[in-house]
Amino acid sequence: MKRTWMIIAGVSAVLTVAIGIVLVKGPAFVRNDLKQGAGMEQPVPVRPIGHTDNALSIPKQMGVEEAETPRQFGSVLPGRKISLQDTSLQNENPKRIYYRNKVIALMYHEVTPGQKNKQSLNVEKFKRQLDLMKEGGFQWITMNQYVQFVMHNKPVPPNAVLMTFDDGYESFYEDVYPLLLEYHVPATSFLIVNAVDNPKHIGIPKLTWEQVKEMHLNGVDFYSHSFDSHMYAPLDAAGKRSKAVLRGPIYIKQLGRKESKEEYIARVRSDMERANAVLREKIGNTMNVIAFPYGVFSPALLRVCKELDTPVSFTVLPGINRPGGLNGYRINAGGADNDPEALIALMKNGGMIAGKQPKGGIPGLKQKPITKPALPPARSGSHRMAVD
């Protein structure tokens, strides 16, 4: 009997000690869960978003299992916008399909409150356009989607629309960018690269690299509108005739003569190389695209583009784009004369009027003219002649 009581007392002592340990430190499985919970509450590191990504994935962490499916940008970092490169938020409306396997590229310049000049678009008209496009079932695509479409016949959604903005005005950041985020519109801005962050550059104030980088991180694309060839120059010493400098040989005052074809090609090659190099350095571009200033080009210029791995380009000629159309059409959606309802009606008709390719002016729309602007006085020692 005495031995039995000793055994019971020993067991009781062991249980008392064990219970005390549990109460003080907690069981092993509780501690592990607490460790895992603490790890999950830590900020999740996010890799920089690339312009071929549609979503951000969560990297592995110690004690955290990898997510089965990628999480969207907005859910990884609460309060942050989903990247404009993610077009999965747009929905196809089967009852509102106007064209397939085609892309309408819209062209804008300055979009500002009020009406600054004939080329600028009132921001209220721009918002009306966005509302009508959204209501009408149009689907905005990225430049990467467009390039894959025209070069490799990759599929695009019905009613595909590419939004493009020329010249890189400061107002793009102040007045357009907030609306792109609000409406979730992917867009491309074509920069006069030497004008960025350059207060000495003539013309309307342009973007800074800080603004460009901020917008680029949130999904806005930036490509070349030349390094610094957005201008007209004389063709002879008298200066009575002129042409856009990317279109062909021009008169060089310092030489006292017109360029040779070889000199023209060397000049445009240098301009394009510099623009692409700066865009690679500043924002990490891995793809080259150009919108020709004034929409003008030449066979020699197109050959240079191909040699410099810039096969996709844009004019200002109106039309709709199909696979294989590497020198793209754009419909002018800006300007003081723009009528948002007329624009949408044209787009619903596949960029055509009465089944025909529009020529010249479009009712309610005004194409950017290819003709030369008035020439200001030439600078001493310079062939820069025209502004924006």
Side-chain angles (χ1 to χ4, degrees), residues 213-287:
K213 290 175 181 178
E214 176 189 332
M215 291 186 282
H216 189 257
L217 284 173
N218 282 305
V220 179
D221 285 310
F222 293 90
Y223 293 103
S224 173
H225 201 37
S226 80
F227 179 77
D228 207 353
S229 292
H230 196 293
M231 66 190 81
Y232 273 64
L235 296 177
D236 52 38
K240 294 182 178 180
R241 297 184 302 125
S242 64
K243 70 166 54 174
V245 300
L246 287 187
R247 192 170 192 173
I250 58 174
Y251 180 82
I252 304 297
K253 184 177 180 180
Q254 294 90 330
L255 300 177
R257 61 172 174 82
K258 192 175 180 180
E259 290 175 307
S260 66
K261 185 177 180 180
E262 291 72 25
E263 289 170 332
Y264 157 66
I265 292 174
R267 172 171 58 80
V268 299
R269 176 187 289 274
S270 174
D271 180 278
M272 292 183 61
E273 285 179 330
R274 292 176 74 185
N276 292 340
V278 172
L279 289 169
R280 281 195 303 272
E281 175 193 349
K282 294 291 187 180
I283 57 175
N285 273 10
T286 57
M287 180 173 71

Side-chain angles (χ1 to χ4, degrees), residues 268-322:
V268 299
R269 176 187 289 274
S270 174
D271 180 278
M272 292 183 61
E273 285 179 330
R274 292 176 74 185
N276 292 340
V278 172
L279 289 169
R280 281 195 303 272
E281 175 193 349
K282 294 291 187 180
I283 57 175
N285 273 10
T286 57
M287 180 173 71
N288 301 324
V289 180
I290 185 170
F292 296 126
Y294 312 110
V296 300
F297 57 93
S298 68
L301 178 58
L302 292 178
R303 286 194 294 272
V304 170
C305 287
K306 187 175 180 180
E307 292 167 2
L308 295 181
D309 194 24
T310 311
V312 175
S313 55
F314 289 90
T315 68
V316 299
L317 298 173
I320 196 165
N321 298 289
R322 297 173 172 82

Side-chain angles (χ1 to χ4, degrees), residues 44-60 66-78 80-88 216-219:
V44 179
V46 180
R47 61 184 173 84
I49 186 165
H51 282 195
T52 56
D53 296 329
N54 286 332
L56 293 174
S57 58
I58 304 175
K60 291 182 178 180
E66 187 177 20
E68 294 181 1
T69 57
R71 290 176 62 184
Q72 298 301 317
F73 189 63
S75 59
V76 173
L77 295 178
R80 290 292 301 273
K81 299 286 185 180
I82 296 175
S83 171
L84 297 179
Q85 291 290 309
D86 181 1
T87 57
S88 64
H216 189 257
L217 284 173
N218 282 305

